[in-house]
Structures are given as C-alpha cells and as structure tokens.
Amino acid sequence: MYCLYIVKCGAALKCAHNRLRLRWISGLVPGIREMDGGLLEGTTEQELIECWGKEWRTLELGLEKNESGRLRGSRAIEEIAQRHPGRHVLVVSHGAILRSTLSGLVPELDVSVFLKNTSLTRLVYTGKTWTCELYNCVKHIDN
C-alpha cells in the first residue's frame, strides 16, 4: 500500500489494511499528493466569488496545471511499479491527481467523470503498457 501522506489517507489505509488484510504501508509517495490549489486552497466558492468575482475560474490563481500533475503522478506510479514487478499494489490519493495520473498512464481512458470518494480503479501494467480494467467503481459502498 502506498499513499500521499499518512495523515490525509489514514482512514482509507486503515480500512484497507483491516478488511483486505494487506501489508501495512510500503511507503509514502509525495508524487501522488493532491493537486496544488494555489490561492483557492481552503476557500469556499462563496469566498472565491466575494474575493475575485463570479468569473474567478477565468483568473490565474496559481492552480497546478493538469500537465504538471500528469507528469508527477505518472512518474510516481511508474516508480512504484518498478519496485514491485508482477505484484498487486494499492495506491491511495485524491481524485484530481489520480485522474491526471491516469490520463498520463492510459491516454485513451476517458477521465472526464470525476472520481467518487473511496472509488476503486484498477490498472494493469505489462512491463511496457498500462491498461485500465476498472474505473471509478463504488460497488463496495452502493448498498
């Protein structure tokens, strides 16, 4: 199991460890940290409108570019795959960085749908290429 930071993903990791009987954390991976929100970090939409107006989305507010997240995340996942060839690995992170990463690893994958909280996505690495067998699955909580 890998995660961005133990504090951010602690509950998800503990659940996976207990329910799936997975080996505890293999490592913390800063490369899959959440996308940098720039000046938007910690603000509500109402605060954004009050500060920058209704067109705040058109302004340059220091958001990390998708390409930056795509490269950073893809590189981190590639490194993990190289450390564990032929093994199953669980990576826990945030939806935006995971979507960017997936678009880098599996360019043909449609990642236009936001990832749901606690969703599962399964990638398979053949040593040369990545394929996505499951995307954004929440069957484990749809009861």
Side-chain angles (χ1 to χ4, degrees), residues 70-117:
R70 182 174 18 259
L71 292 172
R72 173 169 57 84
S74 296
R75 193 168 27 248
I77 298 299
E78 292 277 359
E79 289 172 9
I80 291 170
Q82 289 173 5
R83 279 186 230 144
H84 305 281
R87 302 294 307 253
H88 293 255
V89 178
L90 174 67
V91 175
V92 178
S93 192
H94 291 271
I97 186 61
L98 291 175
R99 284 178 54 231
S100 290
T101 300
L102 290 168
S103 70
L105 297 173
V106 188
E108 67 276 9
L109 181 64
D110 177 8
V111 295
S112 60
V113 175
F114 287 172
L115 291 169
K116 296 176 183 171
N117 283 337

Side-chain angles (χ1 to χ4, degrees), residues 111-132:
V111 295
S112 60
V113 175
F114 287 172
L115 291 169
K116 296 176 183 171
N117 283 337
T118 76
S119 69
L120 299 174
T121 295
R122 181 179 177 160
L123 296 181
V124 176
Y125 184 57
T126 65
K128 293 183 181 182
T129 61
W130 292 90
T131 56
C132 182

Side-chain angles (χ1 to χ4, degrees), residues 20-36:
L20 303 175
R21 300 173 196 237
L22 298 174
R23 195 175 67 187
W24 198 235
I25 301 168
S26 295
L28 303 177
V29 184
I32 57 170
R33 72 181 182 283
E34 58 197 306
M35 302 283 284
D36 185 350

